Amino acid sequence: MALLSMLLVLIWSAGFITGKLIVGQIDPNVFLSLRFLCAGLLFLTIALLLRRPFPSWKDLPKHIIAGMLMNGFYLGFAYVAIAKGLPAGMMALIGALQPALVMVLAFLLIKEKTSARGMIGIFVGMFGLLMVVSPALELDANQGGVSIWTLLLGCIAVVALSVGVTYQKMSISSSDIFSSMAIQNFGASVVSCGFMLFLGESVFVMEWQSFALVAWGVVVLSGGGVFLMVWLLRRSRASQVSAFLLLAPPLAAIESYFLFDETMTLIQLLGFVVTIAGVYLSRKA
């Protein structure tokens, strides 16, 4: 289970890198719309080939809502917030609140308890992530103020992800995962199309790189990362899975250092160590 969790972190961190690679090639919500639509078709094909059962018409809305929250609204609101001027460092800081929100929601909605050691681990991990994003926050401070509405969009994005993660642990957790993922991705694609139209996005450079990025998003990010996250949520505590994802931004910072020649400070490296320690504490709880 630990190896699968680390694989999830690796793939999740690749999502941050992908967000940089699509710049100038594909508009964000054009990319997300295509990714979710194709991922839905992929999971639908797998479910049909394996003759997996599909949810009843009564339960269908639950799967659609789960996909809209965890994929469509989370990434959609985050992209809108960034497009409206929310600095990336601040978005990362808001995102660090997600494990704590999941911990609270899981307790309120599904009575999932977290030990004192687990709670300490989550907050230590959040502090480590703050250390990692602190240089970006310093740069962002020089870019002027951010409106309360833009900040609210970033918060809504993280709340949507947190509710979506918790929702995966509720009644839909007993359904077939392949058919559920097909429905969830189709639901997310509708949301992303809405954001695409709202923002007037249309860029898709007709080059092989663009098609390769979409294929990467479908097979690795959705077919690998999101699928693995839902699979782990069905077998582990929601707070544990969310705590592990605190490692994704620091890992993405290291990957950016090698791929894009971005600088890494001593405080960021120390923050990565602190985040690992926090996740270790929460995992052992």
Side-chain angles (χ1 to χ4, degrees), residues 84-140:
K84 294 291 184 181
L86 183 68
M90 195 173 294
M91 186 66 230
L93 182 60
I94 296 171
L97 298 174
Q98 188 251 340
L101 283 174
V102 169
M103 181 175 63
V104 174
L105 288 170
F107 175 76
L108 294 175
L109 299 178
I110 57 179
K111 309 303 179 184
E112 179 183 281
K113 296 181 180 179
T114 302
S115 67
R117 181 174 177 175
M119 287 188 285
I120 292 173
I122 287 175
F123 286 108
V124 168
M126 289 168 60
F127 179 74
L129 182 55
L130 173 59
M131 293 172 68
V132 174
V133 303
S134 59
L137 290 175
E138 291 175 7
L139 291 174
D140 294 339

Side-chain angles (χ1 to χ4, degrees), residues 172-246:
I172 67 172
S173 63
S174 59
S175 62
D176 178 76
I177 192 169
F178 290 106
S179 57
S180 178
M181 290 298 294
I183 297 168
Q184 289 190 40
N185 275 283
F186 286 137
S189 69
V190 173
V191 176
S192 295
C193 283
F195 279 114
M196 180 181 68
L197 295 173
F198 174 76
L199 294 173
E201 296 181 1
S202 59
V203 174
F204 185 96
V205 179
M206 298 296 289
E207 296 177 350
W208 70 267
Q209 292 94 331
S210 300
F211 293 98
L213 285 168
V214 172
W216 168 268
V218 172
V219 177
V220 178
L221 300 184
S222 289
V226 179
F227 175 83
L228 187 56
M229 184 179 186
V230 173
W231 188 87
L232 286 170
L233 283 169
R234 293 186 177 199
R235 289 161 175 79
S236 306
R237 294 205 308 268
S239 56
Q240 273 192 339
V241 177
S242 294
F244 240 103
L245 292 181
L246 283 172

